[in-house]
Amino acid sequence: MEIAPIQPVDLAKAYRLLNHGPTVLVSAHHGGTDNVMAAAWACPLDFDPPKVTLVLDKATATRTLVEGSGVFALQVPTRAQASLTRGVGGESLADAPDKLARHGVELFRMDGHVPPLVAGCAAWLSCRVIPEPHNQQTYDLFIGEVVAAWADARVFKDGHWMYEVADPAWRSLHHVAGGHFYAIGEPVSG
Amino acid sequence: MEIAPIQPVDLAKAYRLLNHGPTVLVSAHHGGTDNVMAAAWACPLDFDPPKVTLVLDKATATRTLVEGSGVFALQVPTRAQASLTRGVGGESLADAPDKLARHGVELFRMDGHVPPLVAGCAAWLSCRVIPEPHNQQTYDLFIGEVVAAWADARVFKDGHWMYEVADPAWRSLHHVAGGHFYAIGEPVSG
């Protein structure tokens, strides 16, 4: 397999990985178990240190891993991963123990970070949960601090998305409903 | 002016107006003052009743109006409104009292709702703040319940975005940084 040109992203610019509102994959590891789910409800919350909000339903297996380990990763899947994204979003590890293999999810790890990362994504954010039990119980709302971020230099470079010049297979996915997405489109200056 | 074909959106489907991660305009009214700002950090939080999260920096004039009135509206601006969106996002009412007029913002109102709505947008969500003082103070994070929603039937109909058939001028904006956006692109099925 080709070694992807994964490069660190300056934490001060990590918000840009999520600022355009892509659907993300959430990954976590605890007690020997890895899992990955899809989430459209993830959003930047702060610049410095970068923080994010993430909604994790109580029914998800990933939530149990996040609560157990206190850490998770967000990653930005690509148009080429639309089927994978729909697949891991549509079933729970509780019902489908082989879901990662069946949907072609290949995991890798970064030294010093517990959550597994999904190969082939455009960007990755390693996060630690800032415990807010009221938000978590009442709203299923988790707050995370981004402790490290990386991107594939073929689509995000020097702090900027390169969608207009990268292969369209790299474009981010924006879920509407029922496994139907829009890919991100053309640049517009205000 | 042409009367826009604005239609109510079923509250159970209101999350779809924001699910693809568009940059929004936030509008509010209090004490005789209307204001509108841009925000990339707004996100669905729940389906039923629909809720949203919204980050409002303490420096914004809009936050004062939201805190005073307990209500706000989110709206989805279009590619045709990129300049307006950048304009109202780039300056504060505190420094530029004429900012709405100068950026061509035309407001209208819906009966029974306090926040003004921005004409020409693709969709509107009228929200009441669910008070969470700790989130508001610590994270600038507001939670709102969506109490009514509307969309322009030329781009959102029967619960679905119609970007692939509507005029491209209707496409949503997804802010990256510095007034540079991507428009939403083509449909992708997972």
Side-chain angles (χ1 to χ4, degrees), chain A residues 19-21 41 44-46 82 130 132 134-135 139 161 164 174-177 179-190, chain B residues 19-21 41 44-46 82 130 132 134-135 139 161 164 174-176 179-190:
Chain A
N19 214 64
H20 63 306
W41 298 358
L45 174 65
D46 207 350
I130 298 176
E132 289 287 357
H134 170 69
N135 286 336
Y139 301 111
W161 286 109
E164 54 269 54
H174 299 252
H175 190 238
V176 182
H180 296 285
F181 305 91
Y182 288 98
I184 199 67
E186 298 309 309
V188 179
S189 282
Chain B
N19 213 65
H20 63 306
W41 298 359
L45 175 65
D46 207 349
I130 298 176
E132 289 286 359
H134 170 68
N135 286 336
Y139 300 112
W161 285 109
E164 54 268 53
H174 299 252
H175 190 238
V176 182
H180 296 284
F181 305 91
Y182 288 97
I184 199 67
E186 298 309 309
V188 179
S189 283

Side-chain angles (χ1 to χ4, degrees), chain B residues 120-166:
Chain B
C121 286
W124 303 263
L125 301 97
S126 181
C127 304
R128 72 169 185 88
V129 174
I130 298 176
E132 289 286 359
H134 170 68
N135 286 336
Q136 293 165 211
Q137 282 306 311
T138 307
Y139 300 112
D140 295 336
L141 177 66
F142 288 72
I143 294 176
E145 178 182 340
V146 182
V147 297
W150 307 270
D152 191 301
R154 290 171 289 188
V155 63
F156 186 92
K157 203 169 179 182
D158 300 331
H160 296 281
W161 285 109
M162 309 295 285
Y163 290 123
E164 54 268 53
V165 294

